[in-house]
Amino acid sequence: MIELHIETTRLTILDDPILQSSPSSPDADEEMESWRKRISSQGKLVDIGNLLHDIWLHHTRIFPLVIVIVISTFALFDLYLCYFVTSVLDGSTLPLSLNSSDHPCYSSPFCTINVKNLMLDPPDFYVHNTLSSLFVLWADLGNSYLFITPNMISFFHVFVALMASRLISNDSLCVRRIGVLLFQFRNFLDAVDGVIARERRKTVALASANLMIMNQTYSSIGGTDNNIYYPPPDGISMDQVKEYKSSESLGYWVDGICDGVGGIFLYLACYFYLQRHPVRRRSLFSYTAIPLIVSPRNGAVSSTHVSKKKRQKRQKKLSASYLSRQIIRSVHRYGFLSINYGFQALLGSIAWNRFIPNYTKLLETNASNFSSHETQMKGNLVTSPIMWMVILAWRYVNPHTWVEILLIAIFFDRTGEFLYAFRIRGFLVVIAISMLTEAHLRYARSLF
């Protein structure tokens, strides 16, 4: 309407008989030229406004562009990570730690590099772990507030995931975007409990070492009283040390179960949303209904002059076909796309958690237990191109990355289209990378 008004105004001005009949003068020409420039500038502003308005109405078109930008940015960081690791190792092997008393390293993702960090998804490695390390350092959660345990944070972020999933299943796009941000806060808490666990482990190890030194010192001077009271080293009592050691053995399983429950909440939220809002495109989920010939009176299958055995056999076939159609109908619902994506993430999680301990056992070893030749071979294996192909593949295929991409799709209102595109490709990608990793792992084991 605005553009039409501008064009009408321009025609009115140009076709005005008074202006056309007025004698030409320099002032009139300058005024007409200024009018033309003003109308032209207003037309350009209207064009820009219409473009922005069209982008806002069709904001789903920028979803692939956002995915490409995010993945390209993380890929550049990963290339620098590859260059950094290969240049710093220089014949040694993992783990690689840059933290020292002279140059302390707290929040950089390159402080400690091991196999798990190398195969960790880029959002967690570069963003969540960095922010969580800064937060734990600022709040001093490693040495204070000892009543807040990592397991408590794990249980809390399950509750956050439940609230976020409830918002993600909402019909309003604005509410779903708030749910995405809340789920990102859940991912941040997931990184915080890991950082706190590692800091508490260091603190407890230091306290245990101090207690051992105190015991050795007391024994060396002839002390025999086992009931002597030792002051809590570094502000930690031995009861807290024992309690932490007993709970640490369950921390790995608690964290894994809580992560899985949070993912289930997210996939169920997408399931309920897609049940109410089908995919906005032509779906390939179609089936041919098998017609039933039913009597209008009592629902019996109509037949003429057939034997009793043939009638029973036909009834069994029709009941089997009805059951098969019910199964197909339930599987071919749009909400099943989310369940299918969840199974892909589960398959990737099983493979990812299987390969990390094996590569850790193979590559992260104490150099003093092996000869220099074996250490050199391990270092060459870490810096080999095939190893980095495996590392980079799992950085983008592990379940954490898939959750992050799904959250971006939800934010840009492309949930159904994204899940539909990955309904089969996800399984193929996970299986192909798992086979490649298995072959490389067997080859690496054969070298030692």
Side-chain angles (χ1 to χ4, degrees):
M1 296 296 295
I2 298 174
E3 187 175 1
L4 180 61
H5 175 71
I6 292 174
E7 295 294 333
T8 306
T9 304
R10 182 170 60 183
L11 292 175
T12 303
I13 294 173
L14 294 179
D15 296 336
D16 192 348
I18 298 176
L19 292 176
Q20 290 181 353
S21 61
S22 60
S24 176
S25 64
D27 296 337
D29 293 339
E30 291 179 359
E31 186 175 357
M32 289 295 299
E33 186 66 24
S34 64
W35 271 101
R36 290 192 184 95
K37 291 181 180 180
R38 186 180 303 175
I39 293 172
S40 177
S41 62
Q42 290 179 356
K44 292 180 180 179
L45 291 177
V46 170
D47 292 339
I48 295 174
N50 291 334
L51 177 61
L52 295 177
H53 183 66
D54 184 66
I55 291 176
W56 176 252
L57 289 178
H58 305 282
H59 55 275
T60 57
R61 297 178 181 177
I62 65 175
F63 168 69
L65 179 62
V66 172
I67 293 295
V68 170
I69 292 175
V70 171
I71 293 180
S72 300
T73 303
F74 285 135
L76 292 176
F77 289 159
D78 288 341
L79 290 177
Y80 176 75
L81 175 65
C82 177
Y83 167 76
F84 177 80
V85 173
T86 53
S87 60
V88 172
L89 280 180
D90 192 19
S92 60
T93 185
L94 297 175
L96 179 64
S97 179
L98 301 181
N99 192 7
S100 62
S101 58
D102 298 332
H103 302 283
C105 183
Y106 298 107
S107 59
S108 173
F110 302 98
C111 290
T112 302
I113 298 177
N114 49 29
V115 171
K116 184 177 181 180
N117 287 339
L118 289 178
M119 290 189 174
L120 197 63
D121 59 298
D124 276 342
F125 183 76
Y126 294 113
V127 181
H128 295 146
N129 285 354
T130 302
L131 295 178
S132 60
S133 299
L134 291 173
F135 174 74
V136 171
L137 178 64
W138 172 75
D140 196 22
L141 294 178
N143 301 318
S144 59
Y145 304 101
L146 299 180
F147 62 92
I148 302 177
T149 63
N151 291 341
M152 291 174 58
I153 299 178
S154 298
F155 290 126
F156 177 69
H157 71 60
V158 171
F159 175 70
V160 175
L162 178 61
M163 293 191 299
S165 301
R166 180 64 183 87
L167 298 178
I168 289 173
S169 63
N170 195 278
D171 295 334
S172 173
L173 177 60
C174 181
V175 175
R176 291 200 303 274
R177 286 174 172 173
I178 296 175
V180 169
L181 298 179
L182 190 59
F183 204 92
Q184 288 290 355
F185 177 66
R186 176 261 162 206
N187 294 339
F188 168 76
L189 292 178
D190 185 25
V192 167
D193 65 7
V195 175
I196 292 178
R198 289 188 291 271
E199 292 297 324
R200 296 277 175 86
R201 192 180 300 118
K202 295 178 183 178
T203 305
V204 168
L206 181 60
S208 301
N210 291 342
L211 182 63
M212 186 181 299
I213 294 173
M214 294 170 65
N215 286 329
Q216 292 176 355
T217 303
Y218 181 73
S219 300
S220 63
I221 60 176
T224 58
D225 188 2
N226 294 327
N227 296 323
I228 188 171
Y229 171 76
Y230 296 103
D234 294 333
I236 297 181
S237 64
M238 292 315 299
D239 292 336
Q240 292 173 335
V241 171
K242 294 178 181 179
E243 181 181 359
Y244 178 79
K245 287 184 177 180
S246 62
S247 63
E248 186 182 12
S249 58
L250 299 176
Y252 175 79
W253 297 103
V254 170
D255 183 65
I257 293 174
C258 291
D259 288 346
V261 172
I264 291 174
F265 287 157
L266 176 62
Y267 300 135
L268 288 178
C270 295
Y271 172 83
F272 291 120
Y273 172 77
L274 291 177
Q275 288 297 95
R276 300 191 306 271
H277 303 276
V279 181
R280 296 188 301 270
R281 58 163 292 171
R282 181 183 177 89
S283 176
L284 299 179
F285 283 159
S286 59
Y287 62 92
T288 303
I290 301 176
L292 291 176
I293 305 174
V294 182
S295 174
R297 289 186 179 181
N298 54 8
V301 178
S302 63
S303 60
T304 57
H305 305 290
V306 294
S307 63
K308 185 177 181 180
K309 290 184 178 180
K310 289 184 177 180
R311 188 179 301 136
Q312 291 177 353
K313 187 175 181 180
R314 183 178 295 178
Q315 288 281 2
K316 291 181 180 179
K317 288 183 179 179
L318 290 175
S319 61
S321 64
Y322 175 77
L323 179 62
S324 64
R325 289 200 310 276
Q326 292 298 321
I327 295 175
I328 292 174
R329 185 178 288 113
S330 62
V331 170
H332 285 179
R333 290 176 179 175
Y334 294 103
F336 185 76
L337 293 171
S338 175
I339 307 301
N340 180 67
Y341 191 80
F343 278 110
Q344 295 176 10
L346 177 62
L347 180 62
S349 176
I350 293 173
W352 185 65
N353 284 283
R354 178 186 179 274
F355 290 125
I356 285 180
N358 285 279
Y359 277 111
T360 300
K361 184 179 179 180
L362 182 65
L363 299 176
E364 293 187 21
T365 55
N366 189 358
S368 60
N369 298 332
F370 295 90
S371 63
S372 59
H373 177 68
E374 291 178 337
T375 304
Q376 181 69 29
M377 289 181 61
K378 290 179 183 292
N380 294 336
L381 182 63
V382 173
T383 57
S384 63
I386 300 179
M387 182 66 196
W388 276 97
M389 287 177 58
V390 172
I391 290 174
L392 294 177
W394 281 111
R395 286 177 72 87
Y396 294 92
V397 175
N398 72 72
H400 300 284
T401 304
W402 288 34
V403 168
E404 296 288 346
I405 298 177
L406 178 59
L407 291 176
I408 297 177
I410 296 171
F411 190 87
F412 287 98
D413 198 19
R414 293 294 297 270
T415 307
E417 289 81 358
F418 171 73
L419 295 178
Y420 182 83
F422 271 78
R423 67 192 187 280
I424 298 176
R425 297 183 180 93
F427 286 109
L428 298 178
V429 169
V430 172
I431 292 174
I433 294 178
S434 299
M435 294 175 62
L436 172 65
T437 308
E438 184 66 28
H440 179 264
L441 182 61
R442 293 186 178 184
Y443 165 75
R445 286 174 175 173
S446 65
L447 298 177
F448 303 98

